[in-house]
């Protein structure tokens, strides 16, 4: 795709501010003449991540073509259309996409914005359409109505969760459900009726909940992600434990933090290689050296998947007769992490990695991570400006 103009970029920023997720397509002169466009990698990812369509499992040939209702937006009218998603019988069946009627609104090398909402595609010419004017207009128009509905729907869930949290906060002190460091989060999720499990998906209707005690300045959990063993010298957490573990009482374990700016007591550090798009963990033992690898693409995907929208919930902690109680008091609401910032923050030691590996009494190796964590000051650097709410 060609480089976006400053005007096109400003239109995208305005749509993003209104909670609109989109993909971009650049039709070529040949594509418009032949009514055919490549479904580029970014388009395929958009379709797959939003559970719209997966080209990887689509068969070749016209009998496997998928059609989806589409609306094409002009200034003050909508053209009803149909999207065709298919893989031709010829060659490798490279993914294709086409929208009937696209030639009526697009010239070669214009940028077309693709939105999916309420079971249909909504497309418009990002290059030509005056998005800012339409969204700020006092006159009713189709694009303004669409964006308002998407924005309202997105905020609806956030306000629903915020109302639930305020109800919990107004209940006063909540007794801890378990005597553990993680009890601040587990207690809140239990009160809210959220199942506590190991799912990688966000906790509440697409919103991730992260709770922490206000008295602490500890790093906050972002996500857990195992290395890409196929690219790594070591092929399991057990190998990492055997190489760097230590005994504590009856346990053989490796509980440590690994940073890109310093080596820890086990001689471990992280290094970012932007050229090959990898995060590498390294040992100062010459016979080991680089031993595990994460691709930056995988880490970026996990970050976007886990923290597309997050409530960071702060609680005041107090003890009564030896039992911990929580007063949930404050929420910071973040959205749409900036993945390029993730790399910078790792390189600066603001995002670090925790190993939590242990061999139990039965000889089984248990890994609770690796956990990627961020220092409190890093939230404002990883996410666009957030919303902050007092709960009481």
């Amino acid at each position: 795709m060609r480089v976006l103009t400053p005007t096109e970029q400003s239109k995208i920023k305005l749509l993003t501010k209104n909670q609109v997720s989109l993909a971009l397509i650049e039709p070529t002169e040949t594509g418009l003449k032949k009514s055919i466009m490549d479904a580029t990698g970014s388009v395929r990812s958009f379709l797959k991540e939003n559970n719209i369509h997966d080209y990887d499992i689509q068969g070749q040939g016209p009998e496997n073509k998928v059609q989806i209702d589409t609306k094409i937006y002009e200034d003050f009218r909508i053209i009803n259309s149909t999207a065709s998603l298919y893989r031709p019988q010829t060659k490798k069946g490279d993914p294709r996409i086409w929208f009937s009627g696209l030639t009526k609104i697009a010239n070669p090398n214009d940028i077309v914005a693709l939105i999916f909402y309420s079971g249909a595609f909504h497309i418009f010419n990002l290059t030509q359409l005056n998005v800012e004017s339409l969204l700020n207009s006092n006159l009713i128009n189709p694009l303004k109505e669409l964006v308002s509905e998407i924005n309202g729907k997105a905020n609806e869930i956030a306000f629903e969760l915020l109302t639930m949290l305020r109800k919990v906060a107004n209940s006063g002190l909540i007794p801890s459900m378990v005597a553990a460091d993680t009890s601040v989060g587990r207690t809140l999720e239990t009160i809210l009726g959220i199942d506590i499990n190991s799912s990688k998906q966000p906790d509440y209707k697409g919103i991730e909940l992260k709770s922490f005690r206000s008295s602490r300045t500890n790093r906050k959990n972002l996500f857990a992600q195992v290395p890409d063993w196929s690219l790594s010298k070591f092929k399991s957490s057990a190998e990492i434990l055997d190489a760097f573990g230590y005994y504590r009482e009856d346990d053989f374990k490796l509980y440590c933090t690994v940073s890109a700016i310093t080596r820890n007591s086990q001689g471990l550090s992280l290094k970012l290689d932007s050229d090959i798009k990898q995060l590498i963990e390294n040992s100062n033992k010459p016979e080991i050296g680089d031993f595990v690898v994460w691709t930056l693409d995988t880490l970026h995907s996990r970050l976007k998947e886990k923290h597309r929208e997050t409530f960071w919930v702060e609680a005041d902690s107090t003890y009564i007769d030896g039992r911990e109680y929580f007063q949930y008091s404050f929420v910071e609401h973040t959205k749409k992490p900036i993945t390029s910032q993730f790399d910078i923050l790792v390189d600066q030691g603001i995002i670090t990695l925790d190993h939590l590996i242990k061999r139990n009494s039965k000889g089984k190796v248990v890994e609770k991570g690796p956990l990627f964590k961020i220092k409190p000051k890093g939230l404002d650097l990883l996410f666009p400006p957030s919303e902050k709410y007092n709960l009481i």
Side-chain angles (χ1 to χ4, degrees):
M1 180 179 290
R2 66 169 172 78
V3 176
L4 299 177
T5 67
T7 300
E8 289 165 345
Q9 291 180 35
S10 67
K11 292 176 183 178
I12 293 172
K13 288 179 182 178
L14 180 58
L15 291 164
T16 301
K17 182 180 178 181
N18 282 279
Q19 319 294 319
V20 177
S21 178
L22 51 81
L24 302 177
I25 300 176
E26 179 189 359
T28 63
E29 183 175 1
T30 301
L32 290 174
K33 285 180 179 178
K34 295 185 175 181
S35 299
I36 187 172
M37 292 186 296
D38 290 332
T40 60
S42 60
V43 171
R44 296 197 303 273
S45 295
F46 173 80
L47 298 178
K48 188 172 182 177
E49 288 173 6
N50 289 280
N51 299 313
I52 303 164
H53 182 71
D54 187 350
Y55 281 103
D56 293 337
I57 60 175
Q58 183 177 20
Q60 293 179 235
E63 68 274 12
N64 294 303
K65 180 187 293 186
V66 172
Q67 293 189 312
I68 298 175
D69 289 341
T70 300
K71 297 181 183 298
I72 299 176
Y73 287 70
E74 295 187 311
D75 285 336
F76 288 93
R77 72 165 183 152
I78 291 175
I79 302 172
N80 289 318
S81 170
T82 302
S84 299
L85 293 73
Y86 60 98
R87 297 178 60 214
Q89 197 71 57
T90 56
K91 298 181 180 179
K92 296 180 181 179
D94 292 335
R96 307 282 194 227
I97 190 169
W98 181 251
F99 304 95
S100 62
L102 183 63
T103 53
K104 296 178 182 178
I105 66 155
N107 296 321
N109 305 116
D110 280 351
I111 302 298
V112 175
L114 172 63
I115 298 167
F116 188 82
Y117 180 69
S118 193
F121 286 124
H122 304 260
I123 69 171
F124 58 90
N125 191 322
L126 185 77
T127 303
Q128 296 184 25
L129 201 64
N130 193 331
V131 173
E132 183 175 6
S133 176
L134 289 170
L135 295 187
N136 292 329
S137 174
N138 291 324
L139 300 176
I140 295 175
N141 62 78
L143 184 67
K144 182 176 181 178
E145 289 185 323
L146 173 68
V147 172
S148 295
E149 189 171 343
I150 292 173
N151 191 21
K153 189 70 174 178
N155 286 329
E156 181 181 309
I157 296 172
F159 288 141
E160 176 183 309
L161 181 55
L162 185 61
T163 299
M164 294 168 64
L165 288 171
R166 284 185 167 142
K167 185 176 180 180
V168 171
N170 289 327
S171 298
L173 293 174
I174 306 294
S176 174
M177 300 294 182
V178 291
D181 190 58
T182 57
S183 63
V184 62
R186 293 175 65 180
T187 298
L188 180 60
E189 291 180 16
T190 300
I191 292 293
L192 293 174
I194 297 172
D195 290 335
I196 299 172
N197 54 47
S198 57
S199 171
K200 291 185 176 182
Q201 298 303 313
D203 296 308
Y204 186 82
K205 298 182 181 180
I207 299 178
E208 178 72 5
L209 271 174
K210 290 292 184 183
S211 303
F212 59 96
R213 295 168 177 84
S214 58
S215 59
R216 301 186 185 181
T217 57
N218 291 357
R219 295 164 300 141
K220 296 175 172 61
N221 288 347
L222 287 174
F223 56 83
Q225 180 61 46
V226 298
D228 187 326
W229 301 118
S230 67
L231 299 175
S232 303
K233 178 184 291 186
F234 287 0
K235 302 301 180 183
S236 68
S237 297
E239 287 190 60
I240 300 174
L241 178 63
D242 290 339
F244 309 112
Y246 51 84
Y247 280 99
R248 282 293 183 271
E249 299 176 350
D250 296 330
D251 294 326
F252 187 66
K253 62 184 181 180
L254 179 64
Y255 279 29
C256 67
T257 297
V258 189
S259 168
I261 60 173
T262 185
R263 287 193 182 275
N264 63 18
S265 57
Q266 283 77 30
L268 307 180
S269 67
L270 298 174
K271 61 180 183 181
L272 196 78
D273 192 325
S274 298
D275 292 335
I276 58 175
K277 298 182 70 177
Q278 291 182 352
L279 179 65
I280 302 164
E281 189 170 2
N282 172 270
S283 166
N284 62 356
K285 295 179 180 180
E287 67 274 18
I288 295 179
D290 298 343
F291 60 94
V292 289
V293 170
W294 293 263
T295 65
L296 293 180
D297 285 344
T298 296
L299 296 177
H300 293 170
S301 294
R302 284 290 292 120
L303 178 64
K304 289 190 291 185
E305 175 189 36
K306 195 70 173 175
H307 292 288
R308 183 179 63 85
E309 189 170 2
T310 303
F311 272 26
W312 306 85
V313 185
E314 183 176 323
D316 299 319
S317 170
T318 187
Y319 282 85
I320 301 174
D321 296 330
R323 184 173 184 180
E324 188 175 19
Y325 287 76
F326 301 113
Q327 173 66 71
Y328 297 94
S329 57
F330 180 79
V331 171
E332 184 170 1
H333 183 192
T334 60
K335 301 175 186 176
K336 300 181 186 299
I338 306 167
T339 53
S340 60
Q341 288 291 98
F342 178 87
D343 303 354
I344 296 171
L345 296 179
V346 169
D347 211 34
Q348 296 296 310
I350 295 172
I351 291 177
T352 53
L353 168 74
D354 275 16
H355 283 300
L356 299 168
I357 316 173
K358 182 170 69 173
R359 180 174 283 114
N360 63 25
S361 58
K362 296 181 180 180
K364 182 180 179 180
V365 173
V366 179
E367 165 71 281
K368 296 180 180 178
L371 289 177
F372 286 86
K373 296 189 173 186
I374 187 169
K375 294 180 179 179
K377 67 178 182 180
L379 284 183
D380 288 342
L381 302 174
L382 185 61
F383 296 92
S386 61
E387 300 287 342
K388 299 178 175 66
Y389 304 99
N390 289 312
L391 297 178
I392 52 177

